[in-house]
Amino acid sequence: MAATLRIQSDWSWALRRDEGEAWLSCRSPGKPTLYGSVTRRGLSTEGVPDIAASEGFVVGEVTKKSILISCPHENVSTKFLAPYTTFGRIHQKSITCLDISSGGGLGVSTSTNGTMKIWQAANGEIRRLLEGHVYDVNCCRFFPSGLVVLSGGMDAQLKIWSAEDASCVVTFKGHKGGILDTAIVDRGRNVLSCSRDGTARLWDCGKSACLGVIADCGSPVNGIAVGTAESSLNLGTPETAPSEREIGTEGKILLLAREDKKLQGVGLQSRQPVFLFVGSDAFNCCTFLSSTYILAGTQDGNIYQLDVRNTNAPIQVIHRSGAPVLSLLPYRDGFIASQGDGTCFIIQQDLDYVLDLTEADCDPVYKVASWEKQIYTCCRDGIVRRYQLSDL
């Protein structure tokens, strides 16, 4: 695994004044960690800070919100990005999940004190309070329309809300344990949920009924993702004819990130197993990069990239730290990952450096959402951070 560059979490504050300093480190497996620092020497004529690095590190492009650092000895480069803006008033406690609407106008988030709120993505101003779950709300997401929210809670209930008037329009009951993740099929006439009870279920929103148990694993299912399968993949055939209320399940595969160290693929319409991959630790999250490639993250910091047509061996395993991988999001030609040690990074196929979204200081970053060039993260420290990506 390649070397990993780190920087002091509040580097952009530290480098605001002359002689300001921030620490750097470069860690490579099996070698002593290289430590160093960056120091601000003044301002250039364009008003951009003039930053110098200590021995072994090189400073590349610097802007007000970003700094490119490389360690030539390890042949590694990272562009560190500070938040464009932070919202500290949406929640008072740890924020466990967030999502941004398809138009980019609204955000929804859940907190450990049981609150779920809809807010304006531009300024963090709270618009609606969604009340009705008992205990913690674990997950929330917008439907593709951006007008409706799907949430799952520790109360084993799945709820659908109007983002316009905060009313709960549907409640699904059937899980025997807390709901840990959800997914939406196509435009959202059907939705999916997974739970501590070891099952993943398909639901009919129009009739607020369960259309079936897609998988019963005997182990908590921490995360799910639904995607269109590669056409050559055999998804199996259903034992009984699917209900006419099942909309858009054909040709889809459901990924299950399981607590028992297994990543499973199941034909969504057939309910038949497609593959089972055993990882190094509990799987926390999974996503599709394309109809062929999938990603899944484990509790011990591994990100597996697999080809659904042959899951015997991973295409690659990315490991930047031993902290739990908490969320994975496809983004452009790559993905965004967040971990339990506060790291959040973006890997792109055509970039020879990693983009590191900084400021969370050792507090887990639970979830990442994106809208165009804006990336939103939520963290245990109770802050929503918004990052502005320049042209990738």
Side-chain angles (χ1 to χ4, degrees):
M1 187 57 217
T4 307
L5 280 171
R6 291 282 164 86
I7 198 166
Q8 185 173 317
S9 62
D10 61 351
W11 63 271
S12 65
W13 291 91
L15 299 179
R16 279 186 183 183
R17 59 177 205 286
D18 287 350
E19 304 304 316
E21 193 179 17
W23 61 260
L24 292 171
S25 72
C26 180
R27 206 188 74 219
S28 190
K31 296 182 192 172
T33 301
L34 178 66
Y35 293 99
S37 62
V38 279
T39 310
R40 173 165 159 161
R41 293 188 295 207
L43 278 179
S44 69
T45 45
E46 288 85 41
V48 173
D50 172 23
I51 310 280
S54 60
E55 196 181 341
F57 296 94
V58 177
V59 177
E61 186 195 15
V62 176
T63 69
K64 284 180 178 162
K65 293 281 184 190
S66 74
I67 184 167
L68 181 63
I69 306 278
S70 52
C71 180
H73 185 65
E74 292 292 344
N75 192 24
V76 62
S77 299
T78 299
K79 186 181 211 171
F80 296 101
L81 205 61
Y84 180 75
T85 181
T86 58
F87 304 137
R89 294 209 174 121
I90 299 174
H91 294 282
Q92 273 62 58
K93 291 245 176 100
S94 171
I95 306 172
T96 47
C97 191
L98 94 168
D99 193 26
I100 302 296
S101 65
S102 51
L106 293 176
V108 62
S109 55
T110 59
S111 171
T112 48
N113 61 3
T115 59
M116 178 165 42
K117 296 176 183 179
I118 292 176
W119 36 274
Q120 274 174 233
N123 57 16
E125 197 175 294
I126 294 165
R127 300 298 302 272
R128 297 280 179 267
L129 199 55
L130 306 180
E131 295 177 302
H133 277 289
V134 188
Y135 313 123
D136 285 8
V137 189
N138 290 333
C139 46
C140 57
R141 68 168 69 237
F142 282 100
F143 277 74
S145 67
L147 304 171
V148 186
V149 169
L150 177 68
S151 68
M154 285 301 279
D155 56 7
Q157 296 186 64
L158 191 67
K159 287 179 177 283
I160 296 177
W161 312 78
S162 159
E164 293 166 305
D165 65 5
S167 60
C168 176
V169 286
V170 176
T171 298
F172 299 110
K173 294 181 181 177
H175 277 296
K176 307 274 190 293
I179 292 170
L180 300 176
D181 199 11
T182 62
I184 292 173
V185 184
D186 292 349
R187 296 210 345 262
R189 290 174 65 182
N190 290 176
V191 297
L192 291 146
S193 60
C194 66
S195 162
R196 284 180 193 274
D197 65 14
T199 67
R201 290 170 180 262
L202 180 71
W203 308 86
D204 172 5
C205 295
K207 290 205 164 152
S208 60
C210 182
L211 288 168
V213 174
I214 306 297
D216 192 345
C217 306
S219 165
V221 182
N222 295 320
I224 50 172
V226 65
T228 303
E230 228 294 303
S231 53
S232 63
L233 200 63
N234 178 14
L235 297 181
T237 49
E239 286 171 9
T240 53
S243 154
E244 74 280 357
R245 301 290 303 177
E246 253 185 60
I247 314 285
T249 57
E250 198 179 349
K252 301 254 187 355
I253 186 167
L254 181 68
L255 301 182
L256 307 159
R258 296 168 33 168
E259 184 68 24
D260 59 2
K261 306 187 185 183
K262 292 173 183 151
L263 178 72
Q264 186 177 7
V266 178
L268 183 52
Q269 191 180 67
S270 70
R271 325 285 205 251
Q272 304 291 328
V274 178
F275 70 82
L276 191 65
F277 175 81
V278 181
S280 54
D281 203 345
F283 279 98
N284 291 330
C285 50
C286 53
T287 193
F288 283 85
L289 291 178
S290 67
S291 60
T292 312
Y293 299 121
I294 57 176
L295 281 184
T298 62
Q299 186 67 11
D300 60 356
N302 285 324
I303 297 171
Y304 291 90
Q305 184 182 350
L306 300 168
D307 183 326
V308 289
R309 297 165 301 184
N310 178 10
T311 58
N312 292 335
I315 298 165
Q316 64 168 336
V317 182
I318 296 162
H319 185 95
R320 286 179 60 81
S321 87
V325 180
L326 300 175
S327 84
L328 290 167
L329 180 72
Y331 189 75
R332 306 273 177 100
D333 298 324
F335 66 90
I336 311 176
S338 74
Q339 292 186 261
D341 58 0
T343 54
C344 185
F345 60 91
I346 305 178
I347 290 182
Q348 296 287 299
Q349 271 174 357
D350 53 349
L351 281 188
D352 55 3
Y353 56 84
V354 175
L355 263 164
D356 197 317
L357 307 182
T358 61
E359 207 188 83
D361 185 10
C362 301
D363 273 310
V365 176
Y366 291 114
K367 195 81 175 175
V368 183
S370 69
W371 185 75
E372 295 186 350
K373 288 181 184 172
Q374 296 169 25
I375 312 290
Y376 294 79
T377 65
C378 68
C379 181
R380 189 173 70 186
D381 62 12
I383 295 173
V384 170
R385 293 179 172 87
R386 183 173 118 210
Y387 300 84
Q388 193 79 35
L389 296 187
S390 52
D391 299 312
L392 280 179

